[in-house]
Amino acid sequence: MSAYARPYLLVLLTVLLSSPALGQTAAHPAPSVIGSRAEIMTWSDPLEALGTLRADESVTLSATVTDIVAEINFEDGDQVEQGQVLIHLDDAEEQAQLRSAQAISDERRNTLGRTTQLQERNLAARADLEDFQAQLRQAQANTQVIEARLTNYQIKAPFSGRVGLRTISTGTLVTPGMELVTLDKLDVMKLDFSVPERFLSRLSIGLPLSATTAAYPDDIFSGDIASIGTRIDPISRSVNVRAVLENPDMRLRPGMLMEVVVQQRVRDAIVLPEAALEPSGDQHHVMVIDQSGPTPRLERHSVVIGERRYGQVEILEGVEAGDLVVVHGLQLARDGLEVRLLGIVDDETSIRALLEADR
């Protein structure tokens, strides 16, 4: 290109770039972004552990005497009430002994009555009256002993709950200590788990937690810490913790393994989606959308973050509740740049829906 043509070319380029069609607006169009509001949410630092479920009350019923099962008054898995007779052992011999003892008591009561009448008329010795009184008390005591022994032939529910599978039948000979049936109180469950001792200062009675089990993977069971162990295990360096879970529908069972998340340091915090963060070394920034002017404009804010969870991050400094920040389109976002706001994501509106609506 000749030296005479160069000045004319520079003038032509200047004119083209300064024209409305090819000026700065065309060369740098306002980028499209999607925003999200900084919200105040209930926040906590999760502490995870594995726990085992136990029934609120649990017992294995057994006999204290040797005899034959006469009646079984429950079916597998029945809900029974406190005091209900579950198993009745054959007590025919003891019933006969009771009738004999009652007959002796009646006889001695009558003898005492006649002797009392005679003594009132001075026709019987005082010593005879006292002897008959002692004999009556002895007969009554024998009757009470047999009545107490008869209670061993009735296996009753010590509390209301659900029985397990029975492994005996009518006519089975049972012996003392033989396991007859299990009984569990399942409307409330105890969840036992261990926590490393370094977290002991963060635990307290009443601290909320959530738990999940493989049996119901889509359900979350809520509860509270009911008690904390008084000793640290010297081998595992952990402390035992017990929580209480409500179980009104009886879905949870003793022995289940549960994944526990303790919600420690519960507080109100400003929360943003993690997608809003721009990491830069040890620092983090977000792009706040300023809507005070005619066109949305970006402001770069340095933020201090706290805990993270499930795609969200706690903001300690740098953003106020209600601020609108960029969560999509950060690649082209610059401090002070005007942008086109496609929309704001929330519980009912997703980024995908906003992008599809803009096509």
Side-chain angles (χ1 to χ4, degrees), residues 22 38 56 59 101 131 173 230 290 294-295 326 354 356:
L22 298 175
D56 185 36
V59 66
D131 288 343
L173 177 65
T230 58
D290 181 10
T295 305
V326 177
L354 292 174
E356 291 178 351

Side-chain angles (χ1 to χ4, degrees), residues 168-200:
I168 58 173
S169 301
T170 302
T172 301
L173 177 65
V174 300
T175 56
M178 180 179 176
E179 297 183 1
L180 303 181
V181 64
T182 60
L183 177 64
D184 297 296
K185 186 175 181 292
L186 301 178
D187 56 338
V188 176
M189 301 296 292
K190 297 174 181 176
L191 179 58
D192 293 343
F193 57 96
S194 298
V195 173
E197 64 174 325
R198 65 179 181 274
F199 297 116
L200 181 60

Side-chain angles (χ1 to χ4, degrees), residues 195 197 200 228-234 236-241:
V195 173
E197 64 174 325
L200 181 60
I228 302 172
T230 58
R231 298 182 180 181
I232 302 296
D233 190 304
S236 64
R237 299 300 175 186
S238 60
V239 60
N240 293 327
V241 182

Side-chain angles (χ1 to χ4, degrees), residues 256-320:
M256 273 186 173
L257 179 68
M258 301 200 80
E259 297 180 9
V260 186
V261 179
V262 180
Q263 309 298 337
Q264 53 179 340
R265 293 178 56 212
V266 180
R267 60 198 181 276
D268 290 334
I270 297 175
V271 179
L272 286 176
E274 269 190 315
L277 288 182
E278 286 186 300
S280 177
D282 295 335
Q283 298 182 342
H284 296 84
H285 300 84
V286 298
M287 286 295 183
V288 178
I289 304 174
D290 181 10
Q291 295 180 291
S292 60
T295 305
R297 187 179 296 273
L298 299 182
E299 294 179 358
R300 192 167 189 254
H301 287 204
S302 176
V303 296
V304 178
I305 67 172
E307 298 293 330
R308 302 180 187 229
R309 70 177 186 190
Y310 309 122
Q312 295 178 316
V313 60
E314 177 188 15
I315 304 298
L316 303 179
E317 296 179 11
V319 173
E320 299 295 332

Side-chain angles (χ1 to χ4, degrees), residues 103-116 136:
I104 294 174
S105 295
D106 292 341
E107 177 189 358
R108 292 182 177 178
R109 187 179 297 107
N110 295 334
T111 302
L112 177 62
R114 291 192 298 270
T115 304
T116 300
L136 175 61

Side-chain angles (χ1 to χ4, degrees), residues 17-91:
L17 291 175
S18 61
S19 64
L22 298 175
Q24 293 180 354
T25 303
H28 302 286
S32 299
V33 297
I34 295 176
S36 177
R37 295 282 181 190
E39 299 180 352
I40 295 181
M41 301 176 58
T42 300
W43 195 262
S44 63
D45 302 333
L47 174 61
E48 299 181 353
L50 291 177
T52 301
L53 279 176
R54 302 182 186 276
D56 185 36
E57 300 288 350
S58 182
V59 66
T60 299
L61 299 177
S62 59
T64 58
V65 296
T66 299
D67 221 308
I68 295 173
V69 175
E71 296 179 7
I72 298 177
N73 301 320
F74 67 91
E75 297 295 336
D76 296 346
D78 274 357
Q79 180 71 26
V80 298
E81 300 300 323
Q82 182 178 7
Q84 179 177 334
V85 178
L86 304 180
I87 300 172
H88 197 170
L89 302 181
D90 184 8
D91 59 357

Side-chain angles (χ1 to χ4, degrees), residues 93-158:
E93 181 178 350
E94 285 68 24
Q95 290 289 355
Q97 293 177 0
L98 177 61
R99 291 192 294 272
S100 174
Q102 290 172 340
I104 294 174
S105 295
D106 292 341
E107 177 189 358
R108 292 182 177 178
R109 187 179 297 107
N110 295 334
T111 302
L112 177 62
R114 291 192 298 270
T115 304
T116 300
Q117 293 176 358
L118 293 174
Q119 204 276 332
E120 290 175 352
R121 293 183 300 182
N122 295 323
L123 298 177
R126 182 67 182 179
D128 293 340
L129 177 63
E130 293 176 352
D131 288 343
F132 289 135
Q133 288 175 339
Q135 292 175 8
L136 175 61
R137 290 195 296 270
Q138 181 182 19
Q140 291 174 335
N142 291 336
T143 301
Q144 293 172 353
V145 168
I146 298 174
E147 289 175 343
R149 193 161 60 233
L150 276 170
T151 60
N152 296 329
Y153 289 78
Q154 295 182 353
I155 312 300
K156 297 181 180 181

